[in-house]
Amino acid sequence: SAGGLPNALPAAGWKQEAGAPRWHDTPTMVTFGRSCAAGCALSLPPTQGAGVVLSIVVVPISSVPVAPVEVSYCCSADAAQQMSPQYPELEMLGEGAPWDLEGRLLTKVPLWMQGAAYLPTSTAFGASGPPAGTIFSVRAAPPSVVYVIVEEQRDGGAGRFGGLLPEALPAAGWEKRAEAPEAGMRSQLAVYAKRVSARECLSLPLLKEAGAVLGLVVKVDMDAFDATVETSGGLEFQRADFQETVIAWSDTQFRYTWVPTPMTPGILFRGPHSTTPSGTVVYISASGACRVYIIVEAEYKGGMARDGGFLQSLARAGWRVEATAPSWNDTKSVMKVLSIRASEGSELALPPTRGEAVFSVVVVNIASSPDRLADEMKQSFRAWDSEGLEGIRREDLDALLAAACPAVDAKGRAALLADADPHNTGKINYTEFMGKVLFANPSPS
């Protein structure tokens, strides 16, 4: 009952594995495996006959930072009728990856590009290439760096870059990299890059000329800050940049105004306006240390505030009340903001909602600017300085730095503390310390 797969799978690039599980304690099964880049649609060969017995197992490759990615394009209706684009699988970029239909392969691929999801446009559009007027768009699940490989020169003249050079890509904010792969003697390639937030759609400039030969590359931005919000009932929260007049909830056109400056730049997570089921638990996590803000309705003139119980439950959990809060379209509604700092890699679970809840979540990276980081650290220092003496014991500061800056090892902390307390008094003025650490001028090179 193999359906012809033992012969068809190796022909399609699958490799027979050394072992296989047993079924009813009988060694009749065989296992085939194949690597698959993130975002690929991997198809098995057609089965033959009826009653095929098979199972499919997917094992993630955690060591390869490849972004689950979508690549799409749009062009004029006339152009679409004149071509028959293919829909190739994304592959993992590395030495020997295909470049064009002349059979040329990429060599000397920079290490910082290797292992990324890769799509050469030649495999999608054939010999004619994409038509003029085509726009490529890319969207990746995590924060990523998107690279476009373009043919800058060909046979000593202009390359097949579709009008993206010399101005279109730089004008759209794409930065040229110093290194680029090679694809034989006839072509000189160039790489342009742009960072994108998680699930942000990024479009290349419109191709002004037909026949461009391009490569689209997407790689996870390992250093980028990102945050996620999940709920106990599977309710999804949309994400957006938190800024003035941003849409506040996913099911309305109400907008936030008078956005407090300390909450920007932040990531807004917006659910339904007032229909979050009672008893919902919201889970918040981030890739780095952050401050989490909950915007919740505290008063409703002529009615009952829809606070979901957060005003009391968050206060009991140690959240602080902020001095200012944004407004939205309903002038009867008064919002309040509560916040708490979360350490890198931690997960916050909000108390279960009780009754109606009008709220949003905002997550801000505390390392997004020196001023913000200084403010967060000063607040921590003041918690240790109960007498208000503007000083902190050396061992307490060491413990605080270990918790707030896990990337700094004991040797690094010791060097910072020695510089802050050169006379070894055992006590450090934290205002002076912040000035030295965060606002010191870089040494001339």
Side-chain angles (χ1 to χ4, degrees):
S1 301
L5 292 178
N7 294 324
L9 286 171
W14 293 68
K15 176 184 176 182
Q16 184 171 342
E17 303 293 338
R22 294 192 174 201
W23 184 40
H24 287 184
D25 203 30
T26 304
T28 58
M29 309 300 286
V30 63
T31 301
F32 294 87
R34 179 179 174 179
S35 62
C36 178
C40 287
L42 186 60
S43 300
L44 273 65
T47 58
Q48 301 173 7
V52 180
V53 178
L54 65 92
S55 298
I56 299 174
V57 178
V58 179
V59 179
I61 306 175
S62 58
S63 61
V64 180
V66 178
V69 60
E70 302 171 4
V71 178
S72 60
Y73 76 94
C74 63
C75 60
S76 68
D78 292 339
Q81 292 177 357
Q82 298 173 10
M83 63 182 183
S84 299
Q86 304 298 312
Y87 300 95
E89 296 178 356
L90 295 171
E91 58 183 86
M92 195 176 298
L93 180 61
E95 290 292 306
W99 172 244
D100 60 16
L101 293 181
E102 297 175 9
R104 293 186 298 168
L105 306 177
L106 293 179
T107 60
K108 298 183 179 180
V109 178
L111 289 176
W112 40 266
M113 294 182 72
Q114 293 188 22
Y118 170 59
L119 176 69
T121 59
S122 60
T123 63
F125 289 91
S128 61
T134 299
I135 298 176
F136 286 97
S137 298
V138 177
R139 184 173 65 178
S144 301
V145 181
V146 178
Y147 303 100
V148 55
I149 308 174
V150 295
E151 188 179 59
E152 194 172 37
Q153 295 183 17
R154 179 176 170 83
D155 296 331
R160 297 167 291 179
F161 46 69
L164 295 180
L165 299 179
E167 297 179 354
L169 281 172
W174 293 75
E175 298 180 355
K176 187 176 182 180
R177 292 291 189 255
E179 299 178 88
E182 295 182 3
M185 299 295 293
R186 298 183 61 188
S187 298
Q188 178 178 320
L189 307 184
V191 173
Y192 287 78
K194 197 169 186 179
R195 280 184 162 83
V196 291
S197 301
R199 293 168 287 281
E200 176 186 354
C201 185
L202 175 66
S203 295
L204 271 68
L206 179 142
L207 297 183
K208 298 179 180 179
E209 303 167 5
V213 179
L214 310 171
L216 298 176
V217 181
V218 185
K219 191 164 187 178
V220 174
D221 188 352
M222 303 300 289
D223 297 325
F225 176 83
D226 191 28
T228 59
V229 167
E230 299 177 341
T231 66
S232 55
L235 183 67
E236 293 189 3
F237 278 59
Q238 298 175 356
R239 57 185 291 150
D241 292 335
F242 192 51
Q243 56 191 359
E244 194 70 19
T245 70
V246 66
I247 293 177
W249 293 282
S250 59
D251 56 352
T252 73
Q253 290 298 306
F254 297 141
R255 295 176 181 270
Y256 279 129
T257 56
W258 301 102
V259 171
T261 300
M263 298 176 69
T264 60
I267 305 173
L268 169 67
F269 292 93
R270 54 194 181 201
H273 173 239
S274 60
T275 57
T276 299
S278 183
T280 297
V281 178
V282 178
Y283 301 96
I284 305 163
S285 59
S287 59
C290 62
R291 180 159 290 276
V292 178
Y293 297 87
I294 303 299
I295 310 169
V296 61
E297 187 176 74
E299 299 178 28
Y300 195 85
K301 298 174 183 177
M304 184 175 295
R306 297 161 292 181
D307 68 0
F310 282 146
L311 292 179
Q312 294 181 350
S313 60
L314 292 179
R316 287 196 299 266
W319 292 58
R320 79 180 188 198
V321 177
E322 300 293 332
T324 57
S327 303
W328 58 286
N329 304 63
D330 191 342
T331 57
K332 295 181 179 180
S333 177
V334 178
M335 308 301 284
K336 184 172 286 189
V337 175
L338 297 94
S339 78
I340 197 168
R341 187 172 66 240
S343 58
E344 178 180 353
S346 63
E347 182 181 72
L348 287 177
L350 302 186
T353 59
R354 299 199 311 269
E356 281 191 272
V358 175
F359 74 101
S360 302
V361 179
V362 176
V363 181
V364 177
N365 177 12
I366 66 172
S368 58
S369 71
D371 286 336
R372 185 183 301 278
L373 182 57
D375 181 66
E376 290 289 341
M377 295 192 72
K378 284 181 180 179
Q379 291 180 38
S380 299
F381 291 154
R382 292 189 184 105
W384 290 85
D385 183 19
S386 59
E387 299 179 3
L389 301 177
E390 292 287 310
I392 184 172
R393 293 189 307 166
R394 185 168 178 157
E395 56 266 34
D396 290 340
L397 180 55
D398 183 54
L400 186 59
L401 288 174
C405 308
V408 181
D409 59 16
K411 185 177 180 180
R413 296 196 306 274
L416 288 173
L417 296 172
D419 183 57
D421 185 21
H423 302 296
N424 201 27
T425 64
K427 191 173 183 180
I428 296 172
N429 182 293
Y430 54 75
T431 301
E432 294 179 2
F433 176 77
M434 297 302 300
K436 286 185 177 182
V437 173
L438 294 178
F439 302 106
N441 293 323
S443 301
S445 56

